[in-house]
Amino acid sequence: MARKTYRGSDLDVSFDLETCIHAGECVRSLPKVFDTERRPWILPDEASADEVRDLVGRCPSGALEVIEHGAEGAAEAAAPTTTIRMLPGGPFMVDGPFRVLGEDGEPIDHGSKAALCRCGKSASSPFCDGSHAKA
C-alpha cells in the first residue's frame, strides 16, 4: 500500500488510497482541509490541529492517519478492544487491534482500522474499495 503524507506545521496527515472506501466524511466535514478538486488535496494547516485530529479519528477505513511532529507513527491509539461492525449493504468496519494475513500468510499492514470487503468484488481485497456500490 502506498501511503502519501501531506505536511502541516503542527501535524501531518497521511492517506492510503487503497484502503479508502470513499465515505466522504473528510470532504464533507472539513472541505478547507480535504478538497479532491485541488492539488495537493489535503492541506492540514487549513483547520486547527484538534479539528484535523478529530476528523481523521472518524475516518471509517483508517485510510487517513495523523502523524504528530516529533512523534513516531500515527497519533491515534488503537481501541482497547476490537469492534467489527457490518454496514448495511457495505463492508465490515474493523476498529481495534487485529492482524490481516495475505494469501501468502504474510501480514498486510493496515493500521488499527479497516473496511473489509464483504461483496467479493473489491480490487483491493481484502479491503473494500467501494465496488459494492456498483454491484
Side-chain angles (χ1 to χ4, degrees):
M1 288 177 224
R3 186 167 282 281
K4 184 168 181 180
T5 300
Y6 299 85
R7 307 256 179 236
S9 58
D10 295 325
L11 52 76
D12 300 336
V13 175
S14 70
F15 174 70
D16 185 345
L17 178 62
E18 290 182 26
T19 60
C20 181
I21 62 169
H22 308 289
E25 179 71 23
C26 55
V27 294
R28 280 191 308 276
S29 297
L30 280 178
K32 289 181 180 179
V33 176
F34 302 93
D35 182 350
T36 58
E37 300 298 316
R38 173 186 70 211
R39 295 293 174 259
W41 79 280
I42 300 175
L43 297 174
D45 291 339
E46 292 299 311
S48 74
D50 286 340
E51 288 174 303
V52 173
R53 277 187 209 96
D54 179 61
L55 182 281
V56 169
R58 293 192 320 259
C59 176
S61 66
L64 293 170
E65 290 183 355
V66 167
I67 302 166
E68 298 288 344
H69 288 192
E72 293 293 322
E76 183 181 351
T81 60
T82 303
T83 303
I84 301 174
R85 182 171 43 101
M86 266 177 32
L87 292 185
F92 291 107
M93 304 305 297
V94 184
D95 188 7
F98 66 101
R99 265 185 357 164
V100 176
L101 300 179
E103 291 177 359
D104 59 1
E106 291 297 311
I108 300 171
D109 183 32
H110 57 75
S112 64
K113 287 184 177 182
L116 299 179
C117 178
R118 198 170 72 160
C119 72
K121 305 219 183 304
S122 175
S124 298
S125 183
F127 302 103
C128 176
D129 67 0
S131 294
H132 59 276
K134 299 174 197 130

